[in-house]
Every structure is written in C-alpha cells, then in structure tokens.
Amino acid sequence: MQLLDGRVASKAVKEQLKAEVEKIVATGARAPHLAVILVGNNGASETYVASKVKTCAEIGYQSTMVRRDLDITEADLLAEIQKLNKDQSVDGILVQLPLPKHISEQKVIAAIDPTKDVDGFHPVSAGNLTLGMPTFIPATPYGIMLMLEHYQIPTKGKHAVVIGRSNIVGRPMSILLSGNNPYGNCTVTLCHSHTPNLQDICLQADIIVAALGRPGFVQPEMVKDGAIIIDVGITRVEDATAKKGYRIKGDVDFEAVAPKSSYITPVPGGVGLMTIAGLLKNTLVAYENRQEDLRR
Ligand code: NAP
C-alpha cells in the first residue's frame, strides 16, 4: 500500500504556481487575484475559506475576502457578485457553499462571470467539461486528477467506481475519469443512493472514488485486492477526546481498507489539500486568459 499524500502532491503544485507568479510579478505585472465571498459564520466554511486565503498569500496571489451576514438578501448577494464580475482586478470569484436556505445556490452560481468561475460550478463550465472542451474543472475532481498525475497512477482501461453523483464532486469526477485524457480513459460506473448491489459493483472496481458523505462507508469487504482508493469524504464526527470536540472522518474505513489497497488517500491530508491546489490552478488560468484578452 502506498499513501497518496495530499501534503506532498499539493506542495508540488503550490511550488510550481509560486514560481509562475514570481515570473509574472518580475515583469511588473500584477499577481493573480482571487475573491472569496463568505456568507454567515459556519465553522467548516470559515476553516475552508481561511485555508484558501492563507494559501493565496503563500504562493503570492492577491486575495479579497468579502464577508456578509447570514441574513443578506439574495438580491444583495447577486449585486456583490456583479461588482466582482465588473472589477477588472479580480480574476477568480468563489462563493463558499453552502448558502443559507433563502438564497438559491443555482442563481448565485449562474450569476458569476463564467470567465471568473474558478470553482467550475457555472453551467457554462459544466457544459464545456461534458463536451471535453477547455474549461474550469470543479476544484475537488481537478485536485484528484492532479493527485493521480503527481503519483503517475496509470488509469487507462481501468474500471472506476464513483460513489456519489453531486455536481461538485461525483458527476464531474466520472466525466474526467471516463474522458480521453492522460489520467482518464477509465470505464466508469457512477453510483448513488438508489444503486442496488453497491458492494458487488465496488468489488469489480480497480479505482474507487468515495464521495457520499457517510463516514467509514467503504469497508474492506467492498474492496478488491490492489484497488486504488480515493476518499473525498469530509465529515465532522463528535469525539469528546479530541481537542476541538470532533474529528474529521472520510468515507472510507482507512485502517481496515488500507492493507487491501495499492494506493489510498488519507483523511485529513488527502483530497482536501488537492482541492485548494485545483482552485489555485484555475485562478492562474483565469488570470492568464484575462491578460490575453487585454492584449487583444
Ligand atoms: P452530496 O451533494 O450530499 O452528494 C452525496 C452523493 O452521495 C449523492 O449523489 C447521494 O446519492 C450519494 N449517496 C449518499 N448516500 C449514499 C449511499 N448510502 N450509497 C450510495 N450513494 C450515496 O455530497 P458532496 O457535496 O458530493 O460531498 C460528498 C462528501 O465529500 C462530503 O463528505 C463532503 O464534505 C465531501 N467533500 C469534500 C471535498 C474535499 O475537498 N475533500 C470537497 C467537496 C465535498 P443521491 O444523489 O441519490 O442522493
């Protein structure tokens, strides 16, 4: 079993991005700029946003954090997005999800200028991804592809089982793994809560991507020997012995499954770190596209 270590792989991506930014800034140009909107003060969202802003600083990006109260109206939030859409100094816009119930996430995502959609959730980005055209890939599946690339895991001809069909993880992951690209060309089975015989399907998998949000769901009896295991799950599970009162758990029972696997991602320290790497790669592309447009 080899660990697919998000710390190592994300460090490599960040170093590469930092070097790119240094080159850009040395020419006298401005650095890439990510704007993050955070509504309310959900603990997990605060942690994710803080980590994104911190990583921007580490690699030399500019970042702006727009904080709004939980009771912001949908109209006011859409107006904030329009402001950032028009701001020529902003390359990427990210609205941290989830949003409060009175705001339509779909409307908010669709309001983002697709050229600044660094989270890759806009319908234009999703359409391009489906058609195999250049686009912003949702950060988590993109991060997983970067992880496979970093560890040079061959995927061609493999059977990949993706558990979970959300628009931000499972579905785009299934598109990428089935696509004609260096870390794709898999035969993919996309599973969800109505899939019967999930255990039998998983037992046929060379690669399992678990993205369902059920801690410890993937057990050794679901995994064939030598399978590659990618654990996307992040769930806070109460634990009185932990300093914060909870522990982060993945969707895979790591201790039990690891001995059967050829490669496995840990939680924490796996896919989560790669998600930020994917987001920052997208932001650099948004920046480069903007500079290219200005030169025309
Ligand atoms: P989501 O929108 O809740 O989707 C969960 C998916 O799992 C749904 O498609 C659901 O099926 C399926 N599912 C639920 N229970 C199932 C079961 N027993 N058997 C088979 N399928 C089942 O979740 P998400 O946003 O994709 O996130 C999934 C997990 O990844 C969460 O733990 C989340 O915190 C984590 N996450 C991590 C990162 C990261 O950076 N590492 C990023 C995003 C999300 P139906 O469609 O039929 O309901």
Side-chain angles (χ1 to χ4, degrees), residues 41-55:
N41 52 4
N42 171 287
S45 294
E46 291 267 4
T47 309
Y48 296 145
V49 166
S51 169
K52 287 165 189 171
V53 168
K54 181 170 157 262
T55 315

Side-chain angles (χ1 to χ4, degrees), residues 207-260:
I207 302 172
I208 295 179
V209 180
L212 67 160
R214 303 272 182 276
F217 182 88
V218 176
Q219 291 291 321
E221 54 273 20
M222 298 168 75
V223 175
K224 102 174 162 191
D225 282 337
I228 297 161
I229 309 291
I230 311 286
D231 189 352
V232 184
I234 298 182
T235 307
R236 287 183 176 195
V237 177
E238 274 185 41
D239 183 343
T241 67
K243 219 162 108 194
K244 293 180 176 165
Y246 65 85
R247 281 187 203 285
I248 300 292
K249 291 274 181 203
D251 286 344
V252 176
D253 183 343
F254 182 90
E255 298 302 327
V257 169
K260 288 191 91 175

Side-chain angles (χ1 to χ4, degrees), residues 48 140 163-170 191-195 198 210-214 217 231-235 249 251 271-273 275:
Y48 296 145
T140 300
I163 315 174
R165 58 175 164 184
S166 74
N167 290 336
I168 63 171
V169 189
C191 303
H192 45 76
S193 66
H194 301 280
T195 303
L198 189 58
L212 67 160
R214 303 272 182 276
F217 182 88
D231 189 352
V232 184
I234 298 182
T235 307
K249 291 274 181 203
D251 286 344
V271 171
L273 297 170
T275 294

